[in-house]
Every structure is written in structure tokens, then in C-alpha cells.
Amino acid sequence: MKKILQDLSYGELENLILSLGEKKFRAKQLYDGLMRGKSISKINISPALRESLLKDYENEPVKIIKTLTSSDGTEKYLMQLADGNIIESVFMRYNYGNTQCVSTQVGCRMGCKFCASTLGGLVRNLTSGEILSEVLTVNALHGGGGAKRAVTNIVLMGSGEPLDNYQNVIKFLRSVSDEIGINVSPRNISLSTCGIVPEIYNLAEEGLPVNLTISLHSPTDEGRARTMPIAKKYSVSEILKACDYYFKKTGRRYIFEYSLIADENCGREHAEKLISLLKGKPCHVNLIRLNEVEERDLKTVTEKQAYQFLGSLEKGGLSATIRRSMGNDIAGACGQLRASHLKTTER
Ligand code: SAH
């Protein structure tokens, strides 16, 4: 595989351009083209520079090969990487702006029992430039570029565990929020993790005030461990301590994702435990009804049960909402589309 130009920061790109014997302003031209989601071959630079770049660098590191559009306007993309690997990304329209959900790894090695992304394990990490290209491609597709942004918010909730690909994800966060680039504010970016505690402490030190989202899914260690292998390594109380540290360092309230699974985590006793665990903390609970995955036998709850659970949390003084499930009709859940794509191409 060739190198990826989008992996370079603006400063690194300038050094590359100078090392190729070109004038410094060429770096700006090139960078602006990349930030507009253009492939190298479509950027307005001299043919000689284009040719020497194309010898070493991927022309188009991320290509949309399939788009599914939901009745609610959500778009889901299958994207192909230069080595042929497939990832997915989702574009959702809200009244405050457009949110893109990006993948950070091909597959995942966390092994959560409800998740389709992890079915085939981890294939490889994405580079920062590949994650950035997911955004640049979709931003351009929706008419964004230059000062005008079509993607206003980003969630790292696609395939992969962002904190299991720490360095590349941090570099991506820096490049996507660079003021001279696409400039998505860290405050409009949410990083979701299954709870890799040491990396939460590291993230707190990066000076990147992104929203920290924790996939909790149960208030107890035993309950979490039934569906999330990572719970055997880090306890709920260690996670909460790390979250408080994150809040102290960044001033950002943190969020818990809680997928409601029938007969598993949404009884009255679970609500009570959650309340005693989280009451008074600077946090919010996002409930989502489990998106059933064909390969897994876990079942979702009824809408009524979800609202009952929400009511209990609210009565107990927690800030909570039921997350509107977008794109259900287009294999909305994490990794479902890639899994079904791999299945049909294997056949
Ligand atoms: N690895 C990260 C981010 C990716 S998953 C993490 O664990 O947070 C984004 C969110 O979707 C997580 O909260 C995850 O637990 C949840 N999720 C995965 N599969 C799901 C499903 N089938 N139904 C509902 N939520 C799911």
C-alpha cells in the first residue's frame, strides 16, 4: 500500500513539498484541495508535482462504493480503503446540524456480545488520514468545502474502539479540528469508548476537549462482563474515577451510552443501581433500544419498556434521554452493513 497524504499535518505537508523542490505555496494549494475532499489527480497543481506525489501516495485513500439512504434522510456508506478493506460511515441530519459517525478500525477486537463490528475480530487500525478522509469525502459529497462545512458534528461510534487505536485517533482529532483545515471544533466531536481506563487519563491530558462517551450498558461489573469482555479488565468504579478526572481536566460533562437489552440490563434493580452510581455526577445517560444483530441472540425491548426505564432514571434525578434511532431501515447498527457485505461477497 502506498502512503496516505491525508496522514500529514499542514506542517508536514509543507516539509514534503519543500523536499520535492517545490515552492512553499504549493503546500497550501495541495492542502486546500485535500480539505475539499479532492483526490490528488483532481487537485490543481503542476503535472510534475502531481506525478511525483502519485508515485508514493494513494490518489483516493477512501472511496464510497455503496450508499444506502433511509426514509429519515440518514445515509450510510460502505467505503473501500486502498488495500481493499471495507469500513462504514453514517451521515445523520439533525436540526442543529449534520453528524457523521466514523469508523476508527477495520473490525474490532473488543468482542462485545451485542455488536456486529467485532464479529470477525480486528483486521487493522485505520490511520489518521483514513479517518480524516471519511469526513472529507462525506463533507464534499454534501457540498461542504473551504469555509462552508456540511459535516458539523462527528461521533467516533462506527466500527472499532477509538482508544484501542490511540495515536492515530489523536492525530485525527488534531487534523480534523485544525483551524486552517476543515476545523470541526473538538466540542462538536464525541469519542465513544467501551472503557479503556488508562487511555481515558491520557486523553484528558491532550488538550482536546472532546465529549467523552462511555458504553456502560450495565451498572455492575458482573452485568457488564456478561456482554462486554473489557469489563473483566476495568471496573465500573475505575471508569467513574477516570470520568471524574476527565471532567476536572476538560470541564466537559461525560455521557453514558446504555443499550437496552431484554431481560439483561433494564429491570427496576438496574435503574436503582444506576441512580445510586451516577446521581449528582456531571453526566448524562443516553438510552438506546438494542439494535438486534442477526448473528447474536440478544433481544431488544419494547418502546414502552424503554420509556419506563427512562422514567425511573428521571425520577431518581438522573439526566437521561432515549436516543432516537436513526436509519433503522438501512442496517443502522454498528458494523451490520459491513458484515452483510462481507457475507454476500464471500458467497
Ligand atoms: N467501541 C466504541 C465505539 C463504537 S460503538 C464503544 O464501545 O463505545 C458505538 C455505540 O454503539 C457503543 O455504545 C456500542 O456499545 C453501541 N452498540 C454497538 N452495537 C449495538 C447494537 N447492536 N445495538 C445498540 N447499540 C449498539
Side-chain angles (χ1 to χ4, degrees), residues 22 37-38 57 67 79 100 112 169 171 198 268 290 309 314 316 328:
E22 297 275 342
K38 291 188 178 168
Y57 292 91
T67 302
M79 296 172 166
Q100 186 180 352
C112 300
V169 163
K171 190 161 190 196
R268 180 180 297 226
L290 180 80
F309 196 75
E314 285 177 330
N328 262 339

Side-chain angles (χ1 to χ4, degrees), residues 46-61:
S46 72
L49 175 57
R50 186 176 303 136
E51 213 167 287
S52 71
L53 287 173
L54 285 172
K55 251 188 260 149
D56 292 331
Y57 292 91
E58 286 301 340
N59 185 39
E60 204 179 358

Side-chain angles (χ1 to χ4, degrees), residues 108 114-116 156-158 160-162 192-194 213 215 217 257 259 288-293 323 333-334:
C108 183
F114 42 78
C115 182
L156 280 66
M157 293 191 185
E161 166 50 48
S192 180
T193 177
C194 60
T213 300
S215 300
H217 306 326
E257 295 286 312
S259 300
I288 181 160
R289 288 167 61 205
L290 180 80
N291 237 312
E292 287 178 10
V293 172
R323 194 144 58 107
C334 220

Side-chain angles (χ1 to χ4, degrees), residues 215-323:
S215 300
L216 193 63
H217 306 326
S218 169
T220 65
D221 292 327
E222 309 77 67
R224 284 191 94 224
R226 273 203 301 277
T227 55
M228 304 178 74
I230 192 74
K232 298 186 185 115
K233 199 153 177 196
Y234 303 111
S235 67
V236 173
S237 79
E238 287 172 305
I239 291 176
L240 290 182
K241 234 188 263 167
C243 288
D244 283 333
Y245 184 79
Y246 192 82
F247 176 71
K248 210 170 76 193
K249 276 280 168 177
T250 62
R252 309 293 287 161
R253 172 172 97 134
Y254 42 89
I255 293 163
F256 293 104
E257 295 286 312
Y258 200 99
S259 300
L260 299 166
I261 308 172
D263 304 321
E264 180 60 48
N265 62 357
C266 38
R268 180 180 297 226
E269 70 278 18
H270 299 104
E272 278 163 12
K273 283 213 179 95
L274 262 184
I275 292 162
S276 66
L277 200 63
L278 303 181
K279 199 166 176 178
K281 292 198 174 291
C283 69
H284 180 80
V285 180
N286 247 331
L287 302 174
I288 181 160
R289 288 167 61 205
L290 180 80
N291 237 312
E292 287 178 10
V293 172
E294 198 186 298
E295 293 81 354
R296 307 292 205 189
D297 53 7
L298 298 169
K299 294 280 171 252
T300 193
V301 297
T302 63
E303 208 171 315
K304 190 170 162 208
Q305 287 170 316
Y307 277 97
Q308 262 167 5
F309 196 75
L310 173 70
S312 312
L313 297 189
E314 285 177 330
K315 231 193 270 158
L318 297 190
S319 155
T321 40
I322 296 182
R323 194 144 58 107

